[in-house]
Amino acid sequence: GIACGTSPGGPGARVEAVRPGSLAEGKIQVGDRISAVNGQDITSPAEFNRTVLDAAAKHTGLALRVIRDGATTDVVLAR
């Protein structure tokens, strides 16, 4: 579980919280900016939420493009 808000650093969604025990714990940090989910560019927190809910309905994992401290990395969250 990831909670996101508006990203002041540009398009995407800024991580505001990571639920303990979730797949994101230890991989995603508060303050990270998520700029893409499963290859789809993310322009807002609402778009992030829609994309994640769609992936959950299809029982697919998540491939996130994460920007942390100016560096971009890809993070995969899957069961």
Side-chain angles (χ1 to χ4, degrees), residues 6-79:
T6 304
S7 177
R14 187 177 62 82
V15 176
E16 294 181 342
V18 178
R19 189 179 70 214
S22 70
L23 293 173
E25 185 179 37
K27 296 180 179 182
I28 303 295
Q29 298 177 6
V30 171
D32 286 353
R33 183 162 46 103
I34 299 174
S35 62
V37 176
N38 292 346
Q40 178 180 331
D41 288 341
I42 298 299
T43 59
S44 69
E47 187 174 18
F48 170 80
N49 290 334
R50 281 191 304 273
T51 305
V52 169
L53 288 174
D54 184 51
K58 295 176 182 175
H59 302 287
T60 59
L62 296 175
L64 307 176
R65 186 177 317 127
V66 178
I67 301 169
R68 180 183 301 151
D69 298 327
T72 302
T73 188
D74 292 322
V75 175
V76 175
L77 304 178
R79 293 192 186 277

